[in-house]
Amino acid sequence: MISLTQGDNHQKMQKIAFLLIPGLIAITMFIAISSYENITVNSNGGDNLITLDYKAYSEGINTVLYDSTGRVNYTLRAENQIHFDDDHSELAKPFIRLFQEDGSRWNIIANSGRISADLVNNDLDGRTIELTGNVEVFSLDEFGNRTKMSTEFLQVNPKNETLQTDQAIMLITSNLQQSSIGMFADLKIDKIIFHQNIRGYYGESPK
């Protein structure tokens, strides 16, 4: 059962941890670029051009991450990944699956994703993943009850199973619909904190 808590202020979510190493498993296709290549993009639709150097391009990402006990913690799939010279990565059509100890799981999809660089500590286990565009989080419990969250932007900590957004979000279950601006969720303890402009109702949708 998900516990819902309302509040305008919430302490900052701890640093999003994420580890993505293409080629970690055999089915991952990895193309290493021996010399830096670059991508040239338009800035704000004007004549100014920005050149972004990238180190590697990968297709068919399918990565499995394990916890300290050897249990699958989460998996990541994406159509492709570009790893840039500044050490951040961009993902196309990412799909994250979080596995919990009781056997249940949460699925997260989006149009695109970004894994931030950690230029200070160079810590591969301390990355932030940001999902953008048609972000959906959904699960199905042992009784067949479905939970779905929808937003346009979401920060995910797959290792700690926490989610956060400062944008509009909608939660729908079999007997509840709730929306707000901003949310923090801890999936390990099934707790969701909505921040502001909270609206919702139980039972069937009002006419």
Side-chain angles (χ1 to χ4, degrees):
M1 184 69 176
I2 292 180
S3 171
L4 305 179
T5 304
Q6 300 179 358
D8 290 327
N9 297 314
H10 183 76
Q11 63 182 5
K12 292 183 178 179
M13 178 179 160
Q14 62 182 341
K15 192 175 184 182
I16 305 293
F18 193 82
L19 175 60
L20 172 61
I21 306 178
L24 193 65
I25 55 177
I27 57 178
T28 299
M29 297 176 60
F30 184 73
I31 303 174
I33 309 301
S34 58
S35 59
Y36 291 163
E37 301 293 342
N38 61 71
I39 298 175
T40 301
V41 297
N42 245 332
S43 175
N44 299 324
D47 295 330
N48 295 329
L49 298 179
I50 300 175
T51 299
L52 301 177
D53 292 328
Y54 69 93
K55 294 181 180 179
Y57 173 85
S58 309
E59 290 187 349
I61 299 298
N62 191 353
T63 306
V64 181
L65 289 304
Y66 300 87
D67 63 18
S68 58
T69 67
R71 181 179 64 89
V72 175
N73 191 320
Y74 59 95
T75 63
L76 170 72
R77 295 181 183 178
E79 289 186 359
N80 61 66
Q81 175 203 355
I82 301 175
H83 186 71
F84 289 91
D85 189 29
D86 67 356
D87 207 29
H88 87 274
S89 296
E90 302 284 348
L91 302 171
K93 301 293 184 181
F95 172 35
I96 300 171
R97 176 167 287 174
L98 308 177
F99 292 85
Q100 298 181 306
E101 292 183 359
D102 62 1
S104 63
R105 60 196 183 196
W106 288 83
N107 303 294
I108 309 172
I109 60 174
N111 289 345
S112 61
R114 176 188 174 96
I115 304 171
S116 67
D118 185 353
L119 301 180
V120 177
N121 302 312
N122 193 27
D123 181 9
L124 289 177
D125 198 31
R127 303 297 178 101
T128 297
I129 182 167
E130 298 178 347
L131 301 176
T132 306
N134 296 319
V135 184
E136 291 188 359
V137 183
F138 51 94
S139 72
L140 194 67
D141 67 17
E142 58 184 323
F143 304 106
N145 299 313
R146 183 180 177 89
T147 299
K148 177 182 175 182
M149 288 180 272
S150 303
T151 185
E152 287 299 309
F153 174 78
L154 191 69
Q155 291 180 321
V156 182
N157 184 327
K159 184 177 181 181
N160 294 331
E161 298 180 15
T162 56
L163 315 173
Q164 180 170 273
T165 184
D166 59 1
Q167 298 190 18
I169 188 165
M170 171 71 76
L171 168 71
I172 300 176
T173 69
S174 57
N175 57 7
L176 168 70
Q177 289 193 35
Q178 184 134 339
S179 64
S180 75
I181 304 298
M183 178 217 67
F184 175 84
D186 187 334
L187 302 181
K188 283 186 175 180
I189 59 175
D190 291 333
K191 183 175 182 178
I192 300 177
I193 300 173
F194 294 100
H195 292 170
Q196 347 178 31
N197 298 341
I198 302 164
R199 297 181 180 180
Y201 53 84
Y202 291 88
E204 295 183 359
S205 174
K207 298 180 180 179

